[in-house]
Amino acid sequence: MRVLLTGGAGYIGSHTALVLLERGHEVVVLDDFSNSSREAVRRVEELTGKTIPVIEADLADREVATAALADVAFDSVVHFAGLKAVGESVAQPTRYYRVNIDSTLVLLDLMRERGVDKLVFSSSATVYGDPEYVPQDEAHPVGVGLTNPYGWSKFMNEQIIRDAQVAWPELGAVLLRYFNPVGAHPSGRIGEDPSGIPNNLMPFIAQVAVGKREHLSVFGDTYNTPDGTGVRDYIHVMDLAEGHVAALERIAAGVTTYNLGSGTGSSVLEVVRAFGEAAGREIPYVIAPARGGDVAETVANPTKANVELEWQTTRTLADACRDSWAWQSANPQGYTA
Ligand code: NAD
Ligand code: WQD
């Protein structure tokens, strides 16, 4: 397959590009580099020994994206492009809706015009809101009590893709609901490179471990969980990347939804301990008030993906901490060093 990766220079896109190339597929990256670096793509080329055509364009701009892709051949798409910072989405809702919705609308029209009928979309466990039950399967209600525009944009995108498929029955679309992606390629050459203060737990801990930040603030320790801190299903980014390849290789007409998670929950304090062990140093932390909009616990039931995609996670939280530390310690300034 020749796969177009929108947002392919980003954290999950770069790891997926690597796994696709290793499986013998070709990839083309379209990215506006609003939250990523060309260096990530260069390093994937270095790791795989393959060349990746890169198109710099804003996918949400119909004219720009259509012109940029005019001479580019591809037969399937993984659509990662979008903005993902939950807090920022509350402060900048119109920007988040414009980018996250327009990019999908432009892409769907472009695919139909070009007769490209295979799409994998980056959705999120955030569509489940505050879960009614844990672990959540794909039948769990979605779109109830979502607390931020980012989450709503994922929910809306899922619906947009379903509606597009009704009008274009040949379209095969897979909605992948990621749980909490963490870790890095084991080489330490590519990884997560957040700009500014990290919003997410593991990149924050990694920056504390490397001495860039003094301590972690643990957001709340009175949740109804075994140690009182929030519980999440952390999935190694290489397992996640392999999930995309499995989905792409089995895609058929219609819309299918899969949870991509490990099925195991870990608390904030468990992650702190695991990272400390991987890095061989203590991670200083303080207990801080709970973060608005956070839920106590979210864990995937990944059975559907395990069975239908013949995919399952093979890497542990300890593996993710080891690989995240290898990336962070070798690249303390991320790709900009
Ligand atoms: P990321 O920010 O590293 O990657 C997104 C990429 O899209 C970046 O390279 C960015 O420059 C690009 N981009 C943004 N707007 C664009 C536009 N208008 N045109 C072209 N490119 C554009 O994020 P990620 O963690 O790799 O996430 C990838 C996808 O997975 C996103 O859609 C995100 O919402 C979704 N997701 C991420 C997580 C997570 O925790 N990382 C969890 C669930 C879902
Ligand atoms: C994990 C746990 C925090 C930072 C978010 C999005 C979700 C998806 C993944 C994109 C929680 C705690 C965190 C810190 C802390 N993204 N924490 N101190 O909130 O589960 O999910 O990223 O789709 O949509 O909402 O991930 O990594 O921010 O937090 O104590 O400095 O760590 O409270 O319990 P979250 P996270």
Side-chain angles (χ1 to χ4, degrees):
M1 266 192 267
R2 191 151 201 263
V3 190
L4 174 68
L5 305 180
T6 77
Y11 171 44
I12 303 168
S14 55
H15 290 80
T16 304
L18 184 143
V19 175
L20 281 166
L21 289 168
E22 283 177 344
R23 286 271 305 178
H25 298 292
E26 287 179 53
V27 305
V28 180
V29 165
L30 180 144
D31 206 297
D32 68 354
F33 299 103
S34 55
N35 195 38
S36 56
S37 151
R38 276 182 185 270
E39 177 63 9
V41 181
R42 203 194 63 71
R43 292 194 187 181
V44 175
E45 291 184 320
E46 171 197 289
L47 287 166
T48 57
K50 307 227 168 109
T51 304
I52 304 177
V54 176
I55 297 146
E56 182 167 353
D58 176 357
L59 182 61
D61 185 322
R62 187 174 296 267
E63 277 177 30
V64 166
T66 306
L69 289 170
D71 299 323
V72 182
F74 53 94
D75 46 38
S76 55
V77 181
V78 185
H79 179 30
F80 299 104
L83 303 176
K84 65 161 181 178
V86 170
E88 193 179 63
S89 82
V90 175
Q92 303 174 10
T94 51
R95 176 171 169 243
Y96 266 68
Y97 284 123
R98 189 189 71 77
V99 173
N100 289 5
I101 304 290
D102 282 1
S103 60
T104 304
L105 298 177
V106 168
L107 180 65
L108 285 166
D109 287 341
L110 211 136
M111 289 175 67
R112 186 151 192 196
E113 279 158 29
R114 304 273 296 261
V116 174
D117 60 6
K118 296 182 187 68
L119 172 67
V120 173
F121 174 67
S122 299
S123 189
S124 170
T126 201
V127 300
Y128 295 123
D130 192 355
E132 282 173 17
Y133 57 87
V134 176
Q136 298 116 268
D137 56 15
E138 292 81 355
H140 184 285
V142 293
V144 181
L146 305 188
T147 56
N148 59 79
Y150 169 76
W152 282 116
S153 78
K154 290 294 172 194
F155 173 76
M156 291 174 192
N157 265 306
E158 289 198 358
Q159 188 60 41
I160 288 166
I161 292 168
R162 285 182 209 286
D163 291 341
Q165 198 276 332
V166 171
W168 179 24
E170 295 79 27
L171 178 65
V174 179
L175 312 175
L176 296 179
R177 294 180 180 151
Y178 313 157
F179 280 67
N180 287 57
V182 290
H185 187 262
S187 64
R189 293 294 289 158
I190 58 170
E192 185 169 13
D193 182 18
S195 51
I197 303 170
N199 299 301
N200 297 113
L201 179 64
M202 197 170 288
F204 199 105
I205 294 178
Q207 293 196 2
V208 173
V210 85
K212 259 177 99 171
R213 310 203 178 268
E214 253 177 39
H215 63 261
L216 170 75
S217 295
V218 174
F219 296 145
D221 67 348
T222 56
Y223 287 111
N224 185 18
T225 58
D227 67 17
T229 67
V231 167
R232 298 291 182 273
D233 185 335
Y234 295 93
I235 172 169
H236 195 296
V237 67
M238 293 301 294
D239 282 328
L240 188 61
E242 288 169 7
H244 288 73
V245 181
L248 259 180
E249 290 178 346
R250 287 165 184 77
I251 214 160
V255 180
T256 322
T257 306
Y258 295 108
N259 284 340
L260 292 187
S262 69
T264 302
S266 306
S267 74
V268 177
L269 293 179
E270 283 172 335
V271 178
V272 168
R273 270 194 297 277
F275 206 102
E277 276 167 30
R281 53 189 73 185
E282 203 147 303
I283 309 295
Y285 67 85
V286 297
I287 304 295
R291 186 170 61 177
D294 271 1
V295 302
E297 183 176 11
T298 165
V299 178
N301 176 341
T303 307
K304 189 175 172 209
N306 297 161
V307 173
E308 294 182 14
L309 298 179
E310 298 173 272
W311 165 91
Q312 61 185 35
T313 60
T314 60
R315 299 159 179 92
T316 62
L317 178 64
D319 294 334
C321 292
R322 179 200 63 212
D323 295 338
S324 173
W325 176 239
W327 154 253
Q328 183 70 59
S329 51
N331 305 271
Q333 307 305 327
Y335 290 115
T336 52

